[in-house]
Amino acid sequence: MEELITLKQLLHEGKLTEALELVEELEEMSKSDKLNKIFSYGIILLLHLIKQSAENRSTKSWETSIFNAVKQIQRTNQRQKARGTYLTAEELAETLQDAYESALRQASVEAFEGRYEVDKIAQMVDERELLANALHLILSQK
């Protein structure tokens, strides 16, 4: 809120260069917030996809978590007024790749009642296929 007050003040004072710099800073802050949310939901999405793949089964709870994570990623990534998205498909793929290790670590705690270490769980799944599936779910499910 403080930034908006400062922006208004700069505009009233006719300091357009400073106002534009502040607008750019606000845009970056907004995009960073969106990226962090997408990253967090990406971990949840990947966690359940990893558990499905490693355990070769699924539960209604996992399927619901996958559905909800996909919906939240889509919702967070959607620009409301300007239409379009904040992150491109390539940026979404990069974000999922970044989230993968965290999801894998969490899966080692949850899958098979925590009996396997991260490296063993990693051997049970095809990372490339799993990431492609996650991206496909995000881009196709509306």
Side-chain angles (χ1 to χ4, degrees):
M1 188 68 174
E2 182 181 317
E3 288 87 357
L4 293 176
I5 294 169
T6 302
L7 178 60
K8 184 178 178 180
Q9 184 178 13
L10 289 170
L11 290 171
H12 281 300
E13 294 172 0
K15 297 180 179 178
L16 296 181
T17 302
E18 292 90 341
L20 287 173
E21 288 173 0
L22 184 54
V23 166
E24 288 176 15
E25 185 178 319
L26 289 169
E27 285 176 337
E28 283 299 313
M29 288 169 48
S30 176
K31 188 169 182 178
S32 178
D33 180 56
K34 302 287 183 187
L35 182 64
N36 288 337
K37 286 180 182 178
I38 290 170
F39 178 82
S40 294
Y41 288 119
I43 291 171
I44 295 167
L45 171 60
L46 293 170
L47 163 65
H48 291 90
L49 291 175
I50 290 167
K51 290 193 308 186
Q52 279 182 334
S53 180
E55 292 193 18
N56 199 25
R57 69 182 184 95
S58 191
T59 68
K60 285 185 179 184
S61 174
W62 296 353
E63 290 167 11
T64 299
S65 291
I66 290 167
F67 177 84
N68 289 338
V70 167
K71 285 296 180 191
Q72 290 298 329
I73 290 169
Q74 290 171 338
R75 189 167 186 219
T76 301
N77 196 37
Q78 190 67 41
R79 288 182 181 269
Q80 297 303 317
K81 293 183 180 181
R83 302 284 183 228
T85 59
Y86 289 97
L87 300 181
T88 65
E90 184 178 300
E91 290 170 323
L92 282 169
E94 290 172 7
T95 301
L96 290 171
Q97 180 67 57
D98 287 344
Y100 185 77
E101 184 179 350
S102 296
L104 198 57
R105 289 184 176 281
Q106 186 63 35
S108 75
V109 173
E110 294 185 23
F112 302 102
E113 289 134 19
R115 288 189 300 243
Y116 299 111
E117 296 296 320
V118 174
D119 58 338
K120 181 65 176 171
I121 297 291
Q123 293 171 4
M124 295 177 179
V125 299
D126 182 335
E127 177 181 350
R128 177 182 278 164
E129 182 180 310
L130 201 129
L131 289 168
N133 184 28
L135 186 60
H136 174 75
L137 288 170
I138 293 166
L139 297 177
S140 66
Q141 198 179 77
K142 296 283 177 182

